[in-house]
Amino acid sequence: MSSEQATNQPLWIQDRDTVIANDANVEWRYQTRPDYSHTNQFLQKQSQYNHLEGSLEAIVQNLVRTFEMEASFKSNPQQWISIVTDKFRMMTNAGPAYTAEDIVDAGTYNLFLGDTAQYKSSEEDFESSAQIFHQAFPNGFLWELVEVLSGPPNVTFKWRHWGTFSGPYKEQAPTGETVEIVGISIARVNDDLKILSLEHFFDTSSFLNKLATGCPFH
């Protein structure tokens, strides 16, 4: 019996590691399944919210984590199971609407952050942007759902993203501090709880300012 049959839930709203284990014939960006075992240790220790399994909060958290995994590691958006691929759009702070193909080409960091004094997405590609932030947060830039403010079909939820700034960010030395972003998102979903659109609202400049406060390397 498959995990999906066992839980009687669609795969995309199950635990992220279950999704990875049961997703067959996927074109993985780095030719291998992603392994979250390292960052999961820190997620378990540092999470502030323990959502009851099967609750709307747990379902939304699982769905968003599956989406984030797919955006980071699946190079063919036709294989993303968390979204309705041909209809999907993602926006940040009422900016441009991006497709799944845009995410595969540029990466979420570049689409979220754009060009600023501290970070220029126009000078980075998917791999270089992922490397920059993986170096800054070697133990992961973790994500969890705080609360669901409204249910389907327009799921509005509050979240927190955080990580320990323990590696270099470009020319800035790490500070060892926890960098946290809190934001609100709206996920419009269909009857199967697949994402039609995602709108994110958060302070991108605050996040980058915290990374730019480390002492420059000499």
Side-chain angles (χ1 to χ4, degrees):
M1 179 182 288
S2 73
S3 173
E4 183 171 341
Q5 289 170 324
T7 63
N8 207 26
Q9 282 189 336
L11 185 58
W12 53 92
I13 60 170
Q14 295 186 46
D15 176 79
R16 179 174 57 195
D17 288 333
T18 303
V19 177
I20 294 168
N22 286 275
D23 232 354
N25 303 315
V26 168
E27 296 171 35
W28 296 110
R29 180 174 289 274
Y30 304 107
Q31 287 73 56
T32 185
R33 293 175 189 270
D35 181 359
Y36 284 90
S37 58
H38 178 70
T39 55
N40 281 345
Q41 303 172 53
F42 299 93
L43 189 59
Q44 288 164 4
K45 291 175 186 173
Q46 299 172 14
S47 286
Q48 296 178 359
Y49 302 90
N50 184 20
H51 303 299
L52 189 65
E53 186 175 349
S55 66
L56 181 58
E57 288 78 11
I59 287 170
V60 174
Q61 179 167 270
N62 284 346
L63 176 62
V64 175
R65 282 184 179 159
T66 295
F67 167 78
E68 184 275 334
M69 178 274 293
E70 295 187 311
S72 299
F73 293 104
K74 287 187 179 182
S75 53
N76 181 358
Q78 296 300 324
Q79 296 181 329
W80 296 14
I81 62 173
S82 61
I83 66 171
V84 181
T85 309
D86 58 337
K87 295 182 179 177
F88 175 81
R89 297 293 184 274
M90 184 183 75
M91 290 148 281
T92 302
N93 297 332
Y98 295 111
T99 65
E101 287 80 6
D102 293 328
I103 296 173
V104 164
D105 290 341
T108 52
Y109 283 115
N110 286 331
L111 299 184
F112 285 156
L113 299 175
D115 281 356
T116 70
Q118 299 93 347
Y119 181 85
K120 287 191 166 30
S121 63
S122 59
E123 297 177 358
E124 308 295 342
D125 60 17
F126 190 110
E127 277 71 25
S128 68
S129 66
Q131 181 66 12
I132 286 170
F133 292 103
H134 179 70
Q135 283 185 330
F137 301 105
N139 295 326
F141 195 47
L142 310 171
W143 184 92
E144 71 177 344
L145 183 136
V146 174
E147 63 178 323
V148 174
L149 304 172
S150 68
N154 297 310
V155 185
T156 304
F157 55 97
K158 185 177 179 181
W159 49 264
R160 61 185 288 259
H161 236 318
W162 78 98
T164 304
F165 182 17
S166 53
Y169 172 72
K170 298 194 170 189
E171 294 80 30
Q172 307 296 134
T175 63
E177 296 180 1
T178 296
V179 175
E180 182 180 83
I181 313 170
V182 175
I184 286 179
S185 295
I186 303 169
R188 191 164 63 90
V189 299
N190 68 4
D191 291 343
D192 293 328
L193 297 180
K194 291 198 175 198
I195 304 170
L196 296 163
S197 67
L198 262 178
E199 292 184 73
H200 303 297
F201 300 93
F202 65 97
D203 185 352
T204 55
S205 60
S206 172
F207 165 62
L208 291 169
N209 286 340
K210 289 173 183 175
L211 292 178
T213 56
C215 294
F217 286 115
H218 296 295

